[in-house]
């Protein structure tokens, strides 16, 4: 179903429209939504129209922001309007507008999204998106101690937990427009109560539910499972009343005064999100070794991603573009910096170009001289919160010198220099029109090639690095030979490696065939059975989990986990299937406990334990 002609709709507008429908019309809503977006057309004044026969026409007339933000902007010509099926179906088919949470897509004070936001797009979600509203970059943040949540915030989190639990219990098969509307209403309540992080998590779940029901290309059940885990974990913490205001998030990214900075470019990264945003993030390193980012991410698709790579940097009047900044540097006066290293733009910020540094020079060289095991331990400790937390930021960049072994599927197997571990290099973004995958395929054709790699560890895969840029290894003979204009590095998302960039002694080795990627403790552990059980619940709802708990499958799951000394995982999986099948009824066959609360808590407990166990195995694979 194409929704390109329909403007985004605010969550509360859709929720109100669904609530106004009668019970009879609600049963017909999913069928009415299906296909109605294909009948949309655009009028001369920019409104969107959808015709239902000759008697009913729905018109969506967005405001100046391009979003339908109130009920008066959606009208229908039928006699039942505004409580009609036509109007609600069109609102349900339109994209959901971003909220004001810290994870909504959009530009941020001229700097866009943070590094790594775009990695979510190859999974349908990311980690981890920037706020659509820009903070005043010339105003320093006031440092205050975390305060307790208000009673209204705890109540809003409880309402959102109940809605999320019901959506999880329904699953994709029964998670239609009515279930989604309840989640959207609860998300709107959370926003009004000052819980932007919870609102953003709920919107991710609704978008993923829609994509799964429409069987959209690129949508993965694992992403929806992760979205449910983050939503339930975050709302459970907030609803308990024990969290502080930091767990609520902020509607605006807080920027603090950073004084005078000298930053040097490392690489560029394309950003293409599943929610319609595109652009570029340029990674920088400060003279003290700290990491920074400058981004330009706005609404747009692949064309904007390609163009943004050479667009001007909107930072303090800098005359560099992103391609020049990735290989150059800046001296910034009056810098404003967010907690995650994003550089803000504002009236008090000025920037002048500096000569860039090679990866063999400080401060960039420190990224590649640190032992990979030590660097990965720091990434696991600092780059992501505990499993089950309210969200996960993109991990820090990791650099290392490697030797190419060969191709293993869509990965390049390399060995870290100095008899280090085997790693898998994967594209940072799999889009076929971006050169990531093509560059890695060409690298895999040159076994024995010495390579300097900069990338982001994939915390969901064993010993895997999402490579962003490569360069020659100083002093190595069989290494890359890049043009002088590239300043000793190739951005895999923008530059295209050619035959002349490789040494002749490693050429013509493509016939050696695929290689073994080494042991994968994550794949060898029977934890995949727990993940399948959790994904079964997301896809088919509570009934599917209860059915999976009957017969020999449940006994086999418990036995395999116990034999692998994963007794806690076995206990939690057993508790989940037991709770899923617990549906007590009275003598008249009516449910005596229709709440999905206990089931959602059992599912969440198993999901949080699975995430922690898999993270431990990923850490072990880097040793």
């Amino acid at each position: 179903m194409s929704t390109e002609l329909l403007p985004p709709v605010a969550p509360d507008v859709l929720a109100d429209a669904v609530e106004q429908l009668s019970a009879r019309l609600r049963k017909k809503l999913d069928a009415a939504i299906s296909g109605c977006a294909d009948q949309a057309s655009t009028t001369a004044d920019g409104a969107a129209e959808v015709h239902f026969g000759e008697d009913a026409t729905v018109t969506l007339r967005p405001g100046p922001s391009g979003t339908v933000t109130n009920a008066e902007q959606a009208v229908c010509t039928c006699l039942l309007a505004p409580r009609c099926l036509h109007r609600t179906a069109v609102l349900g088919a339109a994209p959901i507008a971003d909220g004001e949470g810290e994870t909504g897509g959009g530009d941020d004070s001229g700097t866009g999204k943070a590094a790594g936001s775009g990695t979510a797009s190859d999974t349908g979600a990311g980690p981890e998106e920037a706020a659509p509203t820009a903070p005043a970059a010339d105003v320093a943040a006031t440092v205050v101690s975390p305060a307790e949540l208000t009673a209204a915030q705890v109540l809003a989190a409880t309402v959102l937990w109940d809605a999320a639990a019901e959506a999880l219990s329904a699953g994709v098969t029964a998670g239609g427009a009515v279930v989604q509307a309840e989640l959207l209403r609860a998300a709107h309540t959370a926003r009004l109560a000052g819980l932007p992080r919870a609102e953003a998590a709920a919107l991710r779940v609704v978008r993923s539910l829609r994509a799964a029901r429409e069987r959209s290309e690129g949508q993965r059940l694992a992403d929806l499972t992760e979205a449910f885990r983050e939503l339930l974990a975050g709302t459970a913490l907030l609803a308990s009343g024990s969290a502080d205001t930091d767990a609520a998030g902020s509607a605006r990214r807080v920027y603090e005064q950073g004084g005078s900075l000298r930053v040097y470019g490392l690489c560029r990264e394309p950003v293409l999100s599943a929610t319609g945003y595109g652009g570029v993030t340029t990674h920088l390193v400060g003279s003290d070794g700290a990491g920074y980012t400058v981004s330009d991410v706005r609404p747009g698709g692949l064309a904007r991603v390609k163009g943004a790579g050479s667009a001007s940097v909107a930072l303090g009047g800098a005359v560099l573009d992103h391609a020049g900044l990735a290989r150059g540097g800046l001296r910034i006066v009056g810098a404003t910096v967010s907690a995650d290293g994003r550089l803000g733009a504002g009236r008090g910020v000025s920037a002048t170009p500096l000569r860039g540094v090679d990866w063999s020079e400080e401060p960039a060289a420190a990224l590649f001289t640190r032992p990979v095991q030590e660097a990965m331990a720091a990434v696991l400790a600092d780059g992501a919160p505990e499993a089950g937390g309210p969200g996960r930021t993109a991990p820090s960049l990791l650099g290392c010198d490697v030797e190419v072994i060969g191709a293993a599927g869509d990965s390049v197997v390399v060995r870290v220099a100095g008899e280090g571990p085997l790693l898998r290099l994967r594209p940072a973004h799999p889009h076929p029109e971006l050169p990531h995958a093509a560059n890695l395929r060409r690298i895999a054709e040159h076994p024995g090639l010495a390579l300097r790699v900069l990338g982001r560890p994939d915390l969901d895969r064993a010993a895997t690095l999402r490579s962003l840029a490569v360069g020659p290894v100083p002093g190595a003979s069989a290494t890359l030979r890049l043009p002088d204009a590239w300043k000793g590095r190739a951005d895999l998302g923008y530059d295209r490696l050619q035959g002349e960039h490789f040494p002749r002694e490693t050429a013509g080795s493509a016939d050696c065939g695929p290689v073994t990627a080494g042991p994968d403790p994550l794949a060898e552990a029977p934890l995949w059975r727990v993940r399948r059980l959790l994904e079964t619940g997301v896809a088919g709802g509570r009934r599917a989990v209860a059915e999976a708990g009957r017969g020999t499958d449940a006994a086999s799951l418990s036995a395999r986990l116990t034999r692998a000394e994963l007794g806690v995982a076995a206990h939690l999986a057993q508790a989940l299937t037991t709770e899923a099948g617990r549906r007590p009824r009275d003598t008249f066959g009516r449910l005596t406990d229709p709440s999905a609360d206990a089931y959602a808590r059992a599912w969440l407990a198993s999901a949080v334990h699975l995430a922690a166990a898999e993270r431990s195995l990923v850490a072990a694979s880097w040793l």
Side-chain angles (χ1 to χ4, degrees), residues 403-421:
E403 180 184 346
V404 175
I405 305 298
D410 58 351
S411 304
V412 180
V413 180
V414 298
R415 182 177 294 279
V416 177
E419 299 301 321

Side-chain angles (χ1 to χ4, degrees), residues 266-269 283 326-327 359 368 397-400 425 428 436 439-440 443 451-456 465-472 480 482 488-495 497:
L266 292 173
C267 66
R268 292 170 294 169
E269 177 185 7
H283 297 271
R327 295 177 169 93
W359 280 0
F368 304 95
L397 298 186
L398 184 149
C400 56
L425 302 184
H436 281 292
N439 283 331
L440 287 184
I443 290 173
L451 205 63
R452 178 159 281 187
V453 182
L454 184 66
R456 183 178 296 107
L465 193 67
R466 297 280 182 175
S467 49
L468 299 178
V470 295
L480 290 176
L482 301 178
R489 70 206 68 169
D491 296 331
L492 296 180
Y494 286 100
D495 302 322
L497 296 174

Side-chain angles (χ1 to χ4, degrees), residues 111-119 266-272 278-284 292-297 304-305 308-309 322-323 325-326 341-342 397 456 468 491 494:
T111 60
K113 292 172 86 169
S117 320
T119 60
L266 292 173
C267 66
R268 292 170 294 169
E269 177 185 7
V271 177
L272 182 61
V280 63
T281 290
T282 298
H283 297 271
L284 311 164
Y292 299 94
T293 57
V294 175
S295 302
D296 179 11
V297 178
R304 191 176 195 289
V305 173
H322 280 272
L325 179 57
R342 306 187 195 196
L397 298 186
R456 183 178 296 107
L468 299 178
D491 296 331
Y494 286 100

Side-chain angles (χ1 to χ4, degrees), residues 155-523:
L155 179 59
T158 302
V159 171
L160 183 54
W161 163 270
D162 292 337
E166 292 296 336
L168 176 67
S169 180
V172 173
T173 54
V178 175
V179 172
Q180 295 170 25
E182 292 299 323
L183 257 180
L184 292 177
R185 176 170 294 283
H188 179 64
T189 302
R191 179 174 70 85
L192 296 180
L195 302 175
R197 181 175 292 166
E199 180 210 13
L203 294 183
R204 280 197 298 272
V205 168
V206 173
R207 290 191 180 104
S208 296
L209 268 176
R210 282 189 171 190
R213 288 179 61 84
E214 296 168 4
R215 299 181 180 179
S216 299
E217 183 179 357
Q219 172 61 29
R220 298 192 313 146
L221 188 57
D223 300 329
L224 180 54
T225 303
E226 177 71 11
F228 263 115
R229 183 182 67 82
E230 291 189 1
L231 173 60
L232 290 171
T235 53
L237 179 63
L238 295 169
S240 68
S242 60
D244 55 40
T245 52
D246 286 345
S250 60
R252 295 190 169 192
R253 178 162 292 104
V254 178
Y255 284 77
E256 298 181 355
Q257 292 291 349
S260 179
L261 294 176
R262 288 177 178 265
V263 295
Y264 303 93
L266 292 173
C267 66
R268 292 170 294 169
E269 177 185 7
V271 177
L272 182 61
S273 79
T275 55
Y277 287 84
V280 63
T281 290
T282 298
H283 297 271
L284 311 164
V285 60
S287 55
D288 59 351
Y292 299 94
T293 57
V294 175
S295 302
D296 179 11
V297 178
R298 302 175 188 275
L302 183 65
R304 191 176 195 289
V305 173
K306 295 179 178 179
S310 56
S312 298
V313 176
L315 181 65
V319 296
L320 291 175
D321 57 20
H322 280 272
L325 179 57
R327 295 177 169 93
L330 286 177
R331 182 179 183 272
I332 307 173
V333 178
T336 55
V337 187
S338 69
D340 56 359
R342 306 187 195 196
L343 296 175
R347 291 184 299 274
V349 179
S350 63
T352 55
L354 293 175
R355 181 190 72 85
V357 297
D358 190 83
W359 280 0
S360 59
E361 302 177 55
E362 295 295 343
L367 288 169
F368 304 95
T369 57
R370 190 178 188 182
V372 67
Q373 293 88 348
E374 179 183 331
M376 187 58 191
V379 168
L380 290 170
D382 302 331
E386 292 300 320
R392 188 172 74 181
T393 59
S396 305
L397 298 186
L398 184 149
C400 56
D401 293 345
V402 301
E403 180 184 346
V404 175
I405 305 298
D410 58 351
S411 304
V412 180
V413 180
V414 298
R415 182 177 294 279
V416 177
E419 299 301 321
L422 287 176
L423 301 183
R424 302 165 183 83
L425 302 184
R426 291 178 62 87
H429 200 297
H431 197 287
E433 294 193 40
L434 294 177
H436 281 292
N439 283 331
L440 287 184
R441 284 195 298 269
R442 187 173 286 274
I443 290 173
E445 295 173 356
H446 295 78
L449 178 71
L451 205 63
R452 178 159 281 187
V453 182
L454 184 66
R456 183 178 296 107
D458 189 335
L459 302 183
D460 297 323
R461 296 175 182 267
T464 299
L465 193 67
R466 297 280 182 175
S467 49
L468 299 178
V470 295
V473 176
S477 57
T479 189
L480 290 176
R481 300 170 180 174
L482 301 178
D484 293 339
W486 288 12
K487 302 295 179 65
R489 70 206 68 169
D491 296 331
L492 296 180
Y494 286 100
D495 302 322
R496 290 189 179 271
L497 296 174
Q498 305 296 333
E500 62 267 21
H501 299 153
F502 295 88
R504 292 184 178 180
E505 54 265 32
T506 63
S509 304
D511 298 332
C512 63
V515 300
T516 302
D520 187 344
L522 191 59

Side-chain angles (χ1 to χ4, degrees), residues 3-11 60 62-63 65-69 73 91 94-98 207:
T3 61
E4 294 180 358
L5 298 180
L6 297 179
V9 173
L60 300 184
S65 64
T67 301
V68 176
T69 57
Q73 294 173 337
L91 290 174
I96 300 173
D98 288 319
R207 290 191 180 104

